[in-house]
Amino acid sequence: MSDVQYLSDREIEEFLDDIDKNKDGNIEYSEIEHKLDEVHKEIAPEAKPHHLHHESLGDEARHAFLRSMIGSKENRIPRHEFATVVRGWRIPSLEQDKKEEQNEKNYLKSLAWWRRARSYFAVHGPEIMFLALVVSMHLAFSIWQMVKYLTQME
């Protein structure tokens, strides 16, 4: 995947809409801080010592991280400037992954049924063969014991 597609303008606008709660055209530091806290609670609800939201680090580490990511000491950043900062982060777009996943699904659907069966067996074949061996041995010993019991009943 050498040609990485980064966030599109639409995706950046969606991100900014999600952060800018009061819709005033400016991104405030408190809004970014609030969004970081939400993400931390979602990703790592129980903070470990190396996490930014761990109580042992205090607020200084979190503020230093946010200020370095924003690239400004201001409490209010115009929306277009913050969009430029987000573009500078060069975050890979999820749209490219979704398109590649859809292409892969379409390719698998276009395969002939015997190729799909052959590829499935190539992956799961040893497990299927082992289960077949266990079932056949179980049946063989059960039949052998039944025949032995029926012939020696006298």
Side-chain angles (χ1 to χ4, degrees):
M1 196 163 103
S2 61
D3 52 334
V4 176
Q5 180 183 352
Y6 298 111
L7 289 179
S8 65
D9 291 336
R10 185 185 54 76
E11 289 174 311
I12 291 174
E13 283 301 315
E14 288 175 7
F15 174 67
L16 294 177
D17 289 342
D18 192 34
I19 289 179
D20 192 11
K21 297 295 183 192
N22 55 9
K23 308 287 186 225
D24 64 350
N26 292 314
I27 305 295
E28 296 181 13
Y29 180 78
S30 60
E31 293 171 334
I32 297 171
E33 192 175 32
H34 177 70
K35 191 63 174 175
L36 180 68
D37 291 339
E38 283 180 11
V39 169
H40 277 223
K41 286 177 186 171
E42 183 179 331
I43 292 175
E46 309 215 359
K48 300 216 171 17
H50 62 278
H51 291 148
L52 283 174
H53 64 293
H54 192 264
E55 61 240 6
S56 68
L57 290 177
D59 285 341
E60 296 83 30
R62 185 173 64 165
H63 292 304
F65 171 74
L66 280 175
R67 293 293 180 187
S68 71
M69 291 302 293
I70 294 170
S72 173
K73 299 276 185 205
E74 301 294 321
N75 283 334
R76 295 171 66 100
I77 303 168
R79 192 176 167 106
H80 62 85
E81 285 181 25
F82 191 65
T84 306
V85 170
V86 171
R87 253 183 230 95
W89 293 342
R90 296 174 50 120
I91 301 170
S93 176
L94 288 177
E95 288 179 353
Q96 183 180 16
D97 287 341
K98 288 178 184 175
K99 286 178 187 174
E100 289 174 0
E101 183 180 345
Q102 187 63 37
N103 289 342
E104 189 175 313
K105 284 182 182 178
N106 290 341
Y107 172 72
L108 288 176
K109 286 180 182 177
S110 70
L111 286 176
W113 67 270
W114 62 271
R115 279 191 69 189
R116 276 189 268 167
R118 190 175 71 182
S119 64
Y120 182 84
F121 192 75
V123 173
H124 299 288
E127 181 182 352
I128 293 170
M129 294 306 292
F130 176 74
L131 288 173
L133 175 72
V134 169
V135 168
S136 64
M137 289 180 74
H138 183 74
L139 279 172
F141 288 128
S142 298
I143 292 170
W144 173 63
Q145 285 293 312
M146 183 182 72
V147 168
K148 185 178 173 184
Y149 176 75
L150 289 175
T151 58
Q152 294 182 2
M153 274 184 61
E154 304 164 2

